[in-house]
Amino acid sequence: MKLILVNPNPLPSPDPESLQFLQTAVALAKNNIDVYFIVSKGLSESVETYYNLQIPRNLHLHLLPCFKIQYAKMRISSNLPFFFLSLFKILDIIKKQKINAIVVRNLKLGYFLLGWGHILNLPSLLFETHEIFTMSFREEMSRKGIKSHKKEYKIEKMERFVYKTANGIICITGQLSRIIKEQFAIKGPVLIAPDGVNLEFFHGNK
């Protein structure tokens, strides 16, 4: 089996999500799956050195430019250039390899790739989710005392499109799976892959 994993979060970086998805890629590779991992380039240190791990031979890292600009106290960032660069990289990979599926966990990226999927005949897309994005956004805005109905509507629109269009949904809990099935129209199967701790990594770095 051959999979493409795509994540706009920079690698390496102190961001926990970057490490989580990298560990997913490593675990898949250790199970004899060829993994093509497309991410944005983070710190100058190598991925192996920064995380103190060995990258399996069948895990192919594709580090794309990270578009973040620091100006005084304001940071300007956009994932859209990464989305297009990752799309071009996916097209390049599928020309050379028979890819079984693309796996993403970023909502905007999933929305973007699914929008192009039928036009460019991309492989099946599996969306990994750890939350109901609309609910998380609503709770965050409520804590801050902010009303943002327009942005909430945009997130809900993206979320409904992704769940309806993706070829499969990967959830970390059975409860999340049930909520998604109740609230959204689902096209493909909903799989449960519990989140966990890499004990080997933990004991090696304590």
Side-chain angles (χ1 to χ4, degrees), residues 24-187:
T24 298
V26 170
L28 290 169
K30 286 183 177 179
N31 280 276
N32 298 318
I33 295 174
D34 288 333
V35 179
Y36 299 84
F37 193 18
I38 303 172
V39 295
S40 61
K41 182 173 175 55
L43 301 173
S44 58
E45 199 171 358
S46 73
V47 173
E48 294 92 334
T49 302
Y50 186 84
Y51 294 115
N52 190 28
L53 57 78
Q54 185 174 0
I55 301 296
R57 282 191 172 186
N58 55 328
L59 171 52
H60 312 279
L61 286 176
H62 299 273
L63 302 176
L64 303 182
C66 181
F67 292 89
K68 290 187 178 179
I69 303 170
Q70 187 80 31
Y71 181 75
K73 294 184 179 180
M74 181 175 64
R75 188 179 73 171
I76 303 171
S77 64
S78 173
N79 281 328
L80 191 58
F82 173 84
F83 290 177
F84 278 104
L85 288 175
S86 63
L87 177 60
F88 297 149
K89 178 57 68 175
I90 289 170
L91 292 172
D92 181 57
I93 293 172
I94 64 177
K95 283 181 182 177
K96 304 169 185 175
Q97 306 291 338
K98 187 176 181 180
I99 300 298
N100 297 93
I102 300 169
V103 182
V104 301
R105 59 163 58 172
N106 180 280
L107 182 64
K108 290 182 180 179
L109 177 61
Y111 183 80
F112 175 84
L113 291 178
L114 286 167
W116 284 97
H118 295 298
I119 300 172
L120 299 175
N121 195 28
L122 297 179
S124 298
L125 188 139
L126 306 178
F127 185 74
E128 179 185 333
T129 181
H130 295 199
E131 60 184 317
I132 304 297
F133 293 90
T134 309
M135 188 182 301
S136 297
F137 176 80
R138 188 182 301 130
E139 291 173 354
E140 182 183 357
M141 293 299 101
S142 178
R143 286 195 302 269
K144 294 179 178 179
I146 301 173
K147 292 184 179 180
S148 184
H149 299 299
K150 186 175 181 180
K151 188 169 183 179
E152 182 181 326
Y153 171 76
K154 287 177 64 176
I155 294 173
E156 184 178 12
K157 180 183 176 182
M158 284 193 293
E159 193 163 25
R160 289 192 180 280
F161 177 80
V162 168
Y163 291 146
K164 182 179 179 180
T165 313
N167 300 93
I169 307 295
I170 304 171
C171 300
I172 60 170
T173 67
Q175 177 66 15
L176 180 59
S177 170
R178 286 190 290 273
I179 293 172
I180 288 175
K181 289 177 180 177
E182 289 172 2
Q183 295 190 8
F184 300 95
I186 306 296
K187 172 184 176 181

